[in-house]
Structures are given as C-alpha cells and as structure tokens.
Short mmCIF file of all heavy atoms in Angstrom, two decimals:
data_model
loop_
_atom_site.label_atom_id
_atom_site.label_comp_id
_atom_site.label_asym_id
_atom_site.label_seq_id
_atom_site.Cartn_x
_atom_site.Cartn_y
_atom_site.Cartn_z
N MET A 284 -11.42 -54.66 -21.32
CA MET A 284 -12.12 -55.22 -20.11
C MET A 284 -12.09 -54.17 -18.96
O MET A 284 -11.19 -53.46 -18.83
CB MET A 284 -11.34 -56.58 -19.59
CG MET A 284 -12.29 -57.53 -19.18
SD MET A 284 -11.62 -59.16 -18.74
CE MET A 284 -10.32 -58.76 -17.56
N GLN A 285 -13.18 -54.20 -18.18
CA GLN A 285 -13.31 -53.21 -17.21
C GLN A 285 -12.25 -53.50 -16.02
O GLN A 285 -12.02 -54.66 -15.67
CB GLN A 285 -14.69 -53.28 -16.59
CG GLN A 285 -14.90 -52.16 -15.50
CD GLN A 285 -16.35 -52.04 -15.12
OE1 GLN A 285 -17.25 -52.58 -15.75
NE2 GLN A 285 -16.56 -51.43 -13.92
N ARG A 286 -11.60 -52.44 -15.53
CA ARG A 286 -10.70 -52.63 -14.42
C ARG A 286 -11.44 -52.96 -13.13
O ARG A 286 -12.59 -52.53 -12.97
CB ARG A 286 -9.83 -51.30 -14.26
CG ARG A 286 -8.84 -51.08 -15.36
CD ARG A 286 -7.97 -49.91 -14.97
NE ARG A 286 -8.72 -48.71 -15.14
CZ ARG A 286 -8.26 -47.49 -14.76
NH1 ARG A 286 -7.03 -47.38 -14.29
NH2 ARG A 286 -9.02 -46.42 -14.85
N THR A 287 -10.76 -53.58 -12.21
CA THR A 287 -11.46 -53.97 -10.98
C THR A 287 -10.67 -53.35 -9.80
O THR A 287 -9.47 -53.25 -9.81
CB THR A 287 -11.52 -55.51 -10.80
OG1 THR A 287 -10.25 -56.06 -10.95
CG2 THR A 287 -12.45 -56.10 -11.84
N PRO A 288 -11.47 -52.94 -8.79
CA PRO A 288 -10.74 -52.28 -7.59
C PRO A 288 -10.31 -53.29 -6.63
O PRO A 288 -10.75 -54.45 -6.50
CB PRO A 288 -11.92 -51.49 -7.04
CG PRO A 288 -13.14 -52.25 -7.36
CD PRO A 288 -12.88 -52.94 -8.73
N TYR A 289 -9.25 -52.95 -5.88
CA TYR A 289 -8.75 -53.68 -4.69
C TYR A 289 -8.89 -52.80 -3.45
O TYR A 289 -8.66 -51.61 -3.53
CB TYR A 289 -7.19 -54.03 -4.96
CG TYR A 289 -6.50 -54.54 -3.73
CD1 TYR A 289 -6.78 -55.88 -3.32
CD2 TYR A 289 -5.78 -53.70 -2.96
CE1 TYR A 289 -6.16 -56.37 -2.21
CE2 TYR A 289 -5.21 -54.18 -1.79
CZ TYR A 289 -5.31 -55.56 -1.41
OH TYR A 289 -4.70 -55.94 -0.23
N LEU A 290 -9.38 -53.37 -2.44
CA LEU A 290 -9.57 -52.61 -1.19
C LEU A 290 -8.67 -53.25 -0.10
O LEU A 290 -8.77 -54.36 0.26
CB LEU A 290 -11.07 -52.71 -0.71
CG LEU A 290 -11.51 -51.71 0.40
CD1 LEU A 290 -12.97 -51.45 0.17
CD2 LEU A 290 -11.17 -52.30 1.76
N ASP A 291 -7.70 -52.43 0.35
CA ASP A 291 -6.77 -52.87 1.42
C ASP A 291 -7.55 -52.79 2.83
O ASP A 291 -7.60 -51.73 3.41
CB ASP A 291 -5.59 -51.93 1.45
CG ASP A 291 -4.57 -52.38 2.55
OD1 ASP A 291 -4.87 -53.36 3.30
OD2 ASP A 291 -3.51 -51.77 2.68
N ALA A 292 -8.14 -53.90 3.21
CA ALA A 292 -8.97 -53.88 4.39
C ALA A 292 -8.20 -53.63 5.68
O ALA A 292 -8.76 -53.06 6.68
CB ALA A 292 -9.65 -55.24 4.58
N GLU A 293 -6.90 -53.85 5.65
CA GLU A 293 -6.04 -53.51 6.81
C GLU A 293 -6.00 -52.01 7.07
O GLU A 293 -5.96 -51.59 8.11
CB GLU A 293 -4.63 -54.12 6.38
CG GLU A 293 -3.71 -54.29 7.59
CD GLU A 293 -4.17 -55.43 8.52
OE1 GLU A 293 -4.80 -56.37 8.01
OE2 GLU A 293 -3.85 -55.38 9.66
N ALA A 294 -5.98 -51.27 5.91
CA ALA A 294 -5.83 -49.87 6.03
C ALA A 294 -7.20 -49.10 6.21
O ALA A 294 -7.31 -47.97 6.67
CB ALA A 294 -5.14 -49.27 4.80
N CYS A 295 -8.25 -49.78 5.80
CA CYS A 295 -9.62 -49.12 5.85
C CYS A 295 -9.97 -48.82 7.28
O CYS A 295 -9.85 -49.55 8.19
CB CYS A 295 -10.64 -50.15 5.26
SG CYS A 295 -12.32 -49.66 5.48
N ILE A 296 -10.51 -47.56 7.51
CA ILE A 296 -10.89 -47.17 8.78
C ILE A 296 -12.42 -47.14 8.91
O ILE A 296 -12.96 -46.66 9.89
CB ILE A 296 -10.28 -45.72 9.10
CG1 ILE A 296 -10.75 -44.64 8.04
CG2 ILE A 296 -8.82 -45.75 9.17
CD1 ILE A 296 -10.53 -43.22 8.40
N GLY A 297 -13.13 -47.57 7.93
CA GLY A 297 -14.56 -47.79 8.08
C GLY A 297 -15.34 -46.54 7.98
O GLY A 297 -16.39 -46.42 8.59
N CYS A 298 -14.88 -45.59 7.27
CA CYS A 298 -15.66 -44.23 7.15
C CYS A 298 -16.90 -44.38 6.36
O CYS A 298 -17.72 -43.51 6.41
CB CYS A 298 -14.70 -43.24 6.57
SG CYS A 298 -14.52 -43.37 4.74
N GLU A 299 -17.05 -45.45 5.54
CA GLU A 299 -18.29 -45.71 4.85
C GLU A 299 -18.46 -44.81 3.58
O GLU A 299 -19.51 -44.90 2.83
CB GLU A 299 -19.58 -45.61 5.64
CG GLU A 299 -19.50 -46.71 6.80
CD GLU A 299 -20.83 -46.76 7.53
OE1 GLU A 299 -21.82 -46.40 6.94
OE2 GLU A 299 -20.72 -47.25 8.72
N THR A 300 -17.48 -43.98 3.23
CA THR A 300 -17.57 -43.12 1.99
C THR A 300 -17.74 -43.87 0.77
O THR A 300 -18.64 -43.60 -0.05
CB THR A 300 -16.35 -42.14 1.91
OG1 THR A 300 -16.26 -41.43 3.18
CG2 THR A 300 -16.47 -41.23 0.81
N CYS A 301 -16.90 -44.91 0.56
CA CYS A 301 -17.00 -45.68 -0.65
C CYS A 301 -18.43 -46.36 -0.80
O CYS A 301 -18.85 -46.44 -1.87
CB CYS A 301 -15.89 -46.72 -0.70
SG CYS A 301 -15.79 -47.91 0.70
N THR A 302 -18.91 -46.81 0.35
CA THR A 302 -20.19 -47.51 0.24
C THR A 302 -21.34 -46.57 -0.05
O THR A 302 -22.34 -46.96 -0.67
CB THR A 302 -20.52 -48.29 1.52
OG1 THR A 302 -20.70 -47.38 2.61
CG2 THR A 302 -19.34 -49.20 1.89
N ARG A 303 -21.20 -45.30 0.33
CA ARG A 303 -22.18 -44.27 0.04
C ARG A 303 -22.07 -43.85 -1.45
O ARG A 303 -23.11 -43.74 -2.12
CB ARG A 303 -22.06 -43.08 0.95
CG ARG A 303 -22.64 -43.34 2.34
CD ARG A 303 -22.97 -42.03 3.04
NE ARG A 303 -21.63 -41.21 3.17
CZ ARG A 303 -20.91 -41.31 4.22
NH1 ARG A 303 -21.12 -42.07 5.21
NH2 ARG A 303 -19.80 -40.66 4.29
N ILE A 304 -20.85 -43.71 -1.99
CA ILE A 304 -20.67 -43.27 -3.35
C ILE A 304 -20.99 -44.33 -4.30
O ILE A 304 -21.55 -44.10 -5.35
CB ILE A 304 -19.22 -42.73 -3.53
CG1 ILE A 304 -19.02 -41.43 -2.72
CG2 ILE A 304 -18.93 -42.51 -5.01
CD1 ILE A 304 -17.57 -40.97 -2.74
N CYS A 305 -20.64 -45.53 -3.94
CA CYS A 305 -20.63 -46.62 -4.95
C CYS A 305 -21.16 -47.95 -4.28
O CYS A 305 -20.39 -48.95 -4.20
CB CYS A 305 -19.19 -46.82 -5.48
SG CYS A 305 -19.21 -47.72 -7.01
N PRO A 306 -22.45 -47.95 -3.80
CA PRO A 306 -22.94 -49.14 -3.10
C PRO A 306 -23.05 -50.42 -3.94
O PRO A 306 -23.10 -51.44 -3.35
CB PRO A 306 -24.31 -48.68 -2.64
CG PRO A 306 -24.70 -47.58 -3.57
CD PRO A 306 -23.37 -46.88 -3.97
N LYS A 307 -23.04 -50.28 -5.25
CA LYS A 307 -23.16 -51.46 -6.10
C LYS A 307 -21.80 -52.19 -6.03
O LYS A 307 -21.79 -53.43 -6.39
CB LYS A 307 -23.47 -51.11 -7.52
CG LYS A 307 -24.79 -50.50 -7.71
CD LYS A 307 -25.04 -49.96 -9.14
CE LYS A 307 -26.29 -49.27 -9.34
NZ LYS A 307 -26.31 -48.59 -10.64
N VAL A 308 -20.74 -51.59 -5.62
CA VAL A 308 -19.40 -52.28 -5.58
C VAL A 308 -18.93 -52.51 -4.19
O VAL A 308 -18.47 -53.59 -3.92
CB VAL A 308 -18.47 -51.46 -6.38
CG1 VAL A 308 -16.95 -51.97 -6.18
CG2 VAL A 308 -18.74 -51.34 -7.87
N PHE A 309 -19.06 -51.47 -3.30
CA PHE A 309 -18.55 -51.61 -1.93
C PHE A 309 -19.65 -51.75 -0.96
O PHE A 309 -20.82 -51.18 -1.08
CB PHE A 309 -17.77 -50.30 -1.67
CG PHE A 309 -16.67 -50.06 -2.62
CD1 PHE A 309 -16.87 -49.10 -3.66
CD2 PHE A 309 -15.47 -50.64 -2.54
CE1 PHE A 309 -15.90 -48.83 -4.58
CE2 PHE A 309 -14.41 -50.43 -3.40
CZ PHE A 309 -14.69 -49.48 -4.47
N GLU A 310 -19.41 -52.53 0.11
CA GLU A 310 -20.38 -52.66 1.23
C GLU A 310 -19.56 -52.84 2.51
O GLU A 310 -18.36 -53.29 2.45
CB GLU A 310 -21.24 -53.95 0.97
CG GLU A 310 -20.54 -55.19 1.12
CD GLU A 310 -21.31 -56.41 0.88
OE1 GLU A 310 -22.61 -56.30 0.81
OE2 GLU A 310 -20.73 -57.56 0.81
N MET A 311 -20.19 -52.47 3.57
CA MET A 311 -19.59 -52.76 4.92
C MET A 311 -19.66 -54.25 5.25
O MET A 311 -20.73 -54.80 5.11
CB MET A 311 -20.25 -51.89 5.97
CG MET A 311 -20.15 -50.33 5.78
SD MET A 311 -18.52 -49.75 5.46
CE MET A 311 -17.79 -50.05 7.07
N VAL A 312 -18.52 -54.79 5.56
CA VAL A 312 -18.44 -56.22 5.95
C VAL A 312 -18.43 -56.42 7.41
O VAL A 312 -18.69 -57.47 7.90
CB VAL A 312 -17.36 -56.98 5.21
CG1 VAL A 312 -17.63 -56.97 3.68
CG2 VAL A 312 -16.08 -56.31 5.45
N SER A 313 -18.10 -55.41 8.13
CA SER A 313 -18.19 -55.39 9.64
C SER A 313 -18.32 -53.92 9.93
O SER A 313 -18.37 -53.01 9.13
CB SER A 313 -16.91 -55.98 10.23
OG SER A 313 -15.78 -55.12 10.11
N GLU A 314 -18.38 -53.64 11.21
CA GLU A 314 -18.68 -52.25 11.66
C GLU A 314 -17.68 -51.21 11.23
O GLU A 314 -17.90 -50.16 10.87
CB GLU A 314 -18.72 -52.19 13.29
CG GLU A 314 -19.56 -50.98 13.68
CD GLU A 314 -19.69 -51.05 15.23
OE1 GLU A 314 -19.60 -52.15 15.83
OE2 GLU A 314 -19.86 -49.93 15.82
N HIS A 315 -16.35 -51.66 11.06
CA HIS A 315 -15.31 -50.76 10.74
C HIS A 315 -14.55 -51.19 9.54
O HIS A 315 -13.44 -50.71 9.35
CB HIS A 315 -14.37 -50.58 11.93
CG HIS A 315 -15.11 -50.02 13.07
ND1 HIS A 315 -15.58 -48.75 13.15
CD2 HIS A 315 -15.29 -50.64 14.28
CE1 HIS A 315 -16.18 -48.57 14.36
NE2 HIS A 315 -16.00 -49.68 15.07
N LYS A 316 -15.13 -52.05 8.70
CA LYS A 316 -14.40 -52.42 7.52
C LYS A 316 -15.30 -52.56 6.28
O LYS A 316 -16.47 -53.11 6.40
CB LYS A 316 -13.75 -53.85 7.67
CG LYS A 316 -12.63 -53.84 8.71
CD LYS A 316 -11.42 -53.14 8.22
CE LYS A 316 -10.38 -53.07 9.42
NZ LYS A 316 -9.29 -52.16 9.16
N ALA A 317 -14.87 -52.03 5.15
CA ALA A 317 -15.62 -52.16 3.92
C ALA A 317 -14.96 -53.30 3.15
O ALA A 317 -13.85 -53.61 3.38
CB ALA A 317 -15.53 -50.89 3.11
N GLY A 318 -15.75 -53.78 2.23
CA GLY A 318 -15.26 -54.88 1.37
C GLY A 318 -15.91 -54.63 -0.02
O GLY A 318 -16.76 -53.76 -0.31
N ILE A 319 -15.41 -55.54 -0.99
CA ILE A 319 -15.92 -55.41 -2.35
C ILE A 319 -16.80 -56.56 -2.54
O ILE A 319 -16.46 -57.71 -2.44
CB ILE A 319 -14.73 -55.38 -3.39
CG1 ILE A 319 -13.89 -54.15 -3.20
CG2 ILE A 319 -15.23 -55.53 -4.81
CD1 ILE A 319 -12.60 -54.17 -3.94
N HIS A 320 -18.06 -56.33 -2.90
CA HIS A 320 -19.09 -57.38 -3.11
C HIS A 320 -19.32 -57.61 -4.67
O HIS A 320 -19.76 -58.69 -5.03
CB HIS A 320 -20.32 -57.17 -2.38
CG HIS A 320 -21.18 -56.04 -2.76
ND1 HIS A 320 -22.26 -56.24 -3.60
CD2 HIS A 320 -21.13 -54.71 -2.49
CE1 HIS A 320 -22.88 -55.03 -3.81
NE2 HIS A 320 -22.11 -54.11 -3.21
N ASN A 321 -19.05 -56.61 -5.47
CA ASN A 321 -19.13 -56.78 -6.92
C ASN A 321 -18.19 -55.78 -7.62
O ASN A 321 -18.42 -54.72 -7.84
CB ASN A 321 -20.59 -56.54 -7.37
CG ASN A 321 -20.74 -56.80 -8.86
OD1 ASN A 321 -19.80 -57.10 -9.57
ND2 ASN A 321 -21.94 -56.59 -9.40
N PRO A 322 -16.99 -56.32 -7.91
CA PRO A 322 -15.93 -55.53 -8.53
C PRO A 322 -16.25 -54.81 -9.82
O PRO A 322 -15.59 -53.82 -10.16
CB PRO A 322 -14.68 -56.39 -8.66
CG PRO A 322 -15.27 -57.80 -8.63
CD PRO A 322 -16.54 -57.67 -7.77
N THR A 323 -17.22 -55.34 -10.48
CA THR A 323 -17.63 -54.66 -11.79
C THR A 323 -19.05 -54.13 -11.73
O THR A 323 -19.74 -54.09 -12.73
CB THR A 323 -17.50 -55.63 -12.99
OG1 THR A 323 -18.27 -56.81 -12.69
CG2 THR A 323 -16.02 -56.06 -13.23
N GLY A 324 -19.54 -53.84 -10.48
CA GLY A 324 -20.85 -53.48 -10.34
C GLY A 324 -21.20 -52.09 -10.74
O GLY A 324 -22.48 -51.73 -10.80
N ASP A 325 -20.32 -51.32 -11.06
CA ASP A 325 -20.51 -49.86 -11.47
C ASP A 325 -19.47 -49.46 -12.44
O ASP A 325 -18.48 -50.15 -12.69
CB ASP A 325 -20.67 -48.99 -10.22
CG ASP A 325 -21.58 -47.79 -10.41
OD1 ASP A 325 -21.79 -47.45 -11.64
OD2 ASP A 325 -22.12 -47.27 -9.47
N THR A 326 -19.60 -48.30 -12.97
CA THR A 326 -18.62 -47.79 -14.01
C THR A 326 -17.25 -47.50 -13.33
O THR A 326 -17.19 -47.27 -12.10
CB THR A 326 -19.12 -46.49 -14.64
OG1 THR A 326 -19.26 -45.56 -13.57
CG2 THR A 326 -20.46 -46.73 -15.38
N GLU A 327 -16.25 -47.53 -14.13
CA GLU A 327 -14.92 -47.13 -13.66
C GLU A 327 -14.91 -45.78 -13.11
O GLU A 327 -14.20 -45.47 -12.07
CB GLU A 327 -13.87 -47.29 -14.72
CG GLU A 327 -13.56 -48.76 -15.16
CD GLU A 327 -12.36 -48.87 -16.07
OE1 GLU A 327 -11.60 -47.94 -16.19
OE2 GLU A 327 -12.25 -49.91 -16.71
N GLU A 328 -15.71 -44.85 -13.69
CA GLU A 328 -15.74 -43.52 -13.24
C GLU A 328 -16.26 -43.45 -11.81
O GLU A 328 -15.70 -42.68 -10.98
CB GLU A 328 -16.62 -42.70 -14.10
CG GLU A 328 -16.01 -42.35 -15.51
CD GLU A 328 -16.09 -43.55 -16.44
OE1 GLU A 328 -16.72 -44.50 -16.25
OE2 GLU A 328 -15.22 -43.49 -17.38
N LYS A 329 -17.36 -44.17 -11.52
CA LYS A 329 -17.92 -44.21 -10.20
C LYS A 329 -17.00 -44.82 -9.19
O LYS A 329 -16.85 -44.31 -8.08
CB LYS A 329 -19.26 -44.95 -10.34
CG LYS A 329 -20.25 -44.61 -9.17
CD LYS A 329 -20.82 -43.24 -9.49
CE LYS A 329 -21.70 -42.81 -8.30
NZ LYS A 329 -21.98 -41.40 -8.33
N ILE A 330 -16.32 -45.85 -9.56
CA ILE A 330 -15.38 -46.59 -8.69
C ILE A 330 -14.24 -45.56 -8.35
O ILE A 330 -13.76 -45.43 -7.22
CB ILE A 330 -14.89 -47.89 -9.30
CG1 ILE A 330 -16.00 -48.88 -9.40
CG2 ILE A 330 -13.74 -48.39 -8.43
CD1 ILE A 330 -15.72 -50.08 -10.22
N GLU A 331 -13.81 -44.80 -9.40
CA GLU A 331 -12.69 -43.92 -9.18
C GLU A 331 -13.07 -42.79 -8.30
O GLU A 331 -12.32 -42.25 -7.52
CB GLU A 331 -12.21 -43.37 -10.53
CG GLU A 331 -10.90 -42.79 -10.47
CD GLU A 331 -10.08 -42.98 -11.78
OE1 GLU A 331 -9.41 -44.00 -11.92
OE2 GLU A 331 -10.22 -42.12 -12.67
N GLU A 332 -14.38 -42.36 -8.30
CA GLU A 332 -14.86 -41.35 -7.46
C GLU A 332 -14.74 -41.87 -5.97
O GLU A 332 -14.40 -41.09 -5.05
CB GLU A 332 -16.31 -41.04 -7.80
CG GLU A 332 -16.80 -39.79 -7.11
CD GLU A 332 -18.31 -39.51 -7.42
OE1 GLU A 332 -18.77 -40.00 -8.52
OE2 GLU A 332 -19.01 -38.94 -6.54
N ALA A 333 -15.11 -43.09 -5.76
CA ALA A 333 -15.01 -43.64 -4.43
C ALA A 333 -13.51 -43.67 -3.95
O ALA A 333 -13.14 -43.29 -2.85
CB ALA A 333 -15.56 -45.12 -4.39
N MET A 334 -12.62 -44.05 -4.88
CA MET A 334 -11.18 -44.11 -4.58
C MET A 334 -10.73 -42.79 -4.18
O MET A 334 -9.99 -42.65 -3.23
CB MET A 334 -10.40 -44.55 -5.86
CG MET A 334 -10.40 -45.95 -6.16
SD MET A 334 -9.51 -46.19 -7.73
CE MET A 334 -9.72 -47.92 -7.90
N ASP A 335 -11.05 -41.78 -5.03
CA ASP A 335 -10.56 -40.40 -4.77
C ASP A 335 -11.09 -39.85 -3.47
O ASP A 335 -10.46 -38.93 -2.92
CB ASP A 335 -11.00 -39.49 -5.93
CG ASP A 335 -10.30 -39.86 -7.22
OD1 ASP A 335 -9.27 -40.61 -7.21
OD2 ASP A 335 -10.79 -39.38 -8.19
N ASN A 336 -12.17 -40.32 -2.98
CA ASN A 336 -12.72 -39.77 -1.80
C ASN A 336 -12.45 -40.61 -0.49
O ASN A 336 -12.90 -40.15 0.64
CB ASN A 336 -14.29 -39.58 -1.94
CG ASN A 336 -14.60 -38.32 -2.77
OD1 ASN A 336 -14.44 -37.24 -2.32
ND2 ASN A 336 -14.84 -38.57 -4.04
N CYS A 337 -11.71 -41.67 -0.62
CA CYS A 337 -11.38 -42.50 0.55
C CYS A 337 -10.32 -41.77 1.35
O CYS A 337 -9.24 -41.40 0.71
CB CYS A 337 -10.85 -43.85 0.06
SG CYS A 337 -10.20 -44.78 1.49
N PRO A 338 -10.54 -41.40 2.64
CA PRO A 338 -9.56 -40.62 3.35
C PRO A 338 -8.22 -41.24 3.58
O PRO A 338 -7.29 -40.55 3.79
CB PRO A 338 -10.30 -40.38 4.72
CG PRO A 338 -11.27 -41.52 4.78
CD PRO A 338 -11.73 -41.84 3.39
N VAL A 339 -8.15 -42.56 3.51
CA VAL A 339 -6.86 -43.20 3.67
C VAL A 339 -6.31 -43.79 2.29
O VAL A 339 -5.36 -44.55 2.35
CB VAL A 339 -6.93 -44.25 4.74
CG1 VAL A 339 -7.14 -43.66 6.12
CG2 VAL A 339 -7.96 -45.35 4.51
N ALA A 340 -6.99 -43.50 1.28
CA ALA A 340 -6.55 -43.99 -0.09
C ALA A 340 -6.27 -45.41 -0.15
O ALA A 340 -5.22 -45.80 -0.69
CB ALA A 340 -5.44 -43.16 -0.54
N CYS A 341 -7.13 -46.28 0.46
CA CYS A 341 -6.83 -47.69 0.53
C CYS A 341 -7.52 -48.47 -0.63
O CYS A 341 -7.47 -49.75 -0.63
CB CYS A 341 -7.10 -48.28 1.88
SG CYS A 341 -8.91 -48.33 2.27
N ILE A 342 -8.22 -47.74 -1.55
CA ILE A 342 -8.78 -48.41 -2.73
C ILE A 342 -7.90 -48.12 -3.93
O ILE A 342 -7.62 -46.96 -4.25
CB ILE A 342 -10.26 -48.03 -2.96
CG1 ILE A 342 -11.06 -48.12 -1.68
CG2 ILE A 342 -10.82 -48.91 -4.05
CD1 ILE A 342 -12.37 -47.43 -1.79
N THR A 343 -7.42 -49.19 -4.63
CA THR A 343 -6.62 -48.96 -5.81
C THR A 343 -7.14 -49.94 -6.88
O THR A 343 -8.03 -50.71 -6.62
CB THR A 343 -5.20 -49.37 -5.40
OG1 THR A 343 -5.10 -50.76 -4.90
CG2 THR A 343 -4.55 -48.45 -4.50
N TRP A 344 -6.48 -49.81 -8.11
CA TRP A 344 -6.94 -50.70 -9.18
C TRP A 344 -6.05 -51.92 -9.10
O TRP A 344 -4.93 -51.90 -8.86
CB TRP A 344 -6.75 -50.04 -10.59
CG TRP A 344 -7.69 -48.92 -10.77
CD1 TRP A 344 -7.35 -47.60 -10.86
CD2 TRP A 344 -9.07 -48.96 -11.01
NE1 TRP A 344 -8.45 -46.80 -11.18
CE2 TRP A 344 -9.54 -47.66 -11.31
CE3 TRP A 344 -10.04 -50.03 -11.00
CZ2 TRP A 344 -10.87 -47.39 -11.44
CZ3 TRP A 344 -11.36 -49.74 -11.17
CH2 TRP A 344 -11.75 -48.44 -11.41
N ASN A 345 -6.70 -53.05 -9.41
CA ASN A 345 -5.95 -54.31 -9.69
C ASN A 345 -5.28 -54.11 -11.05
O ASN A 345 -5.75 -53.36 -11.89
CB ASN A 345 -6.83 -55.53 -9.77
CG ASN A 345 -7.29 -56.01 -8.32
OD1 ASN A 345 -6.56 -56.22 -7.53
ND2 ASN A 345 -8.66 -56.18 -8.22
N ASP A 346 -4.07 -54.83 -11.18
CA ASP A 346 -3.42 -54.71 -12.48
C ASP A 346 -4.23 -55.26 -13.65
O ASP A 346 -4.89 -56.27 -13.44
CB ASP A 346 -2.07 -55.37 -12.50
CG ASP A 346 -1.12 -54.61 -11.44
OD1 ASP A 346 -1.24 -53.48 -11.32
OD2 ASP A 346 -0.22 -55.27 -10.85
FE1 F3S B 575 -12.75 -47.70 4.12
FE2 F3S B 575 -11.95 -45.83 2.52
FE3 F3S B 575 -14.26 -46.97 2.13
S1 F3S B 575 -11.71 -45.86 4.73
S2 F3S B 575 -14.90 -47.52 4.16
S3 F3S B 575 -12.31 -48.02 2.07
S4 F3S B 575 -13.81 -44.91 1.77
#
C-alpha cells in the first residue's frame, strides 16, 4: 500500500514549496498554512521530494 504523508500545520511556515512541487497532494489552506488534500494523489517519490525541500521539515510519513 502506498505510504501517506502527514503535515504538521503547527510547524508549517507557509513557504508553498510543497504545493509547487506536489500540487496533487498539497494545497494552501490559508495564507500561511499548507494542508493535504489528497494523501495518495501523487507518487511516493514526488511526495518525498516535497518533504526533502520543506525548509522546516514538517512533512513526514504516517506509519
Ligand atoms: Fe509548509 Fe513546508 Fe509546505 S513550510 S508550505 S509544509 S514546504
């Protein structure tokens, strides 16, 4: 089964990087916060690319 991402909205600074890299999974839910609108909307590789580029590393995998 495909792994799903978790986004710690408390830590997110709203840089929008994840939404640019992987818009099928991440979207801005307010001006300074991203959220997950489809956890399996793209490949794990693409999701991992978004994780790796988040400046505060607040996107992780769910168990
Ligand atoms: Fe927030 Fe990181 Fe995305 S700071 S907007 S979760 S790249």
Side-chain angles (χ1 to χ4, degrees):
M284 220 173 55
Q285 183 171 345
R286 287 185 292 173
T287 55
Y289 168 78
L290 192 156
D291 180 359
E293 201 66 30
C295 171
I296 57 169
C298 75
E299 300 188 22
T300 302
C301 58
T302 66
R303 281 199 300 270
I304 292 174
C305 198
K307 293 175 186 167
V308 173
F309 304 98
E310 68 180 355
M311 298 309 291
V312 293
S313 71
E314 204 177 333
H315 300 295
K316 295 291 174 192
I319 293 170
H320 67 101
N321 184 357
T323 56
D325 212 333
T326 61
E327 290 191 16
E328 288 73 19
K329 203 71 187 169
I330 294 169
E331 200 147 270
E332 190 184 333
M334 279 178 186
D335 291 347
N336 284 283
C337 174
V339 293
C341 69
I342 309 167
T343 53
W344 292 113
N345 282 310
D346 292 332

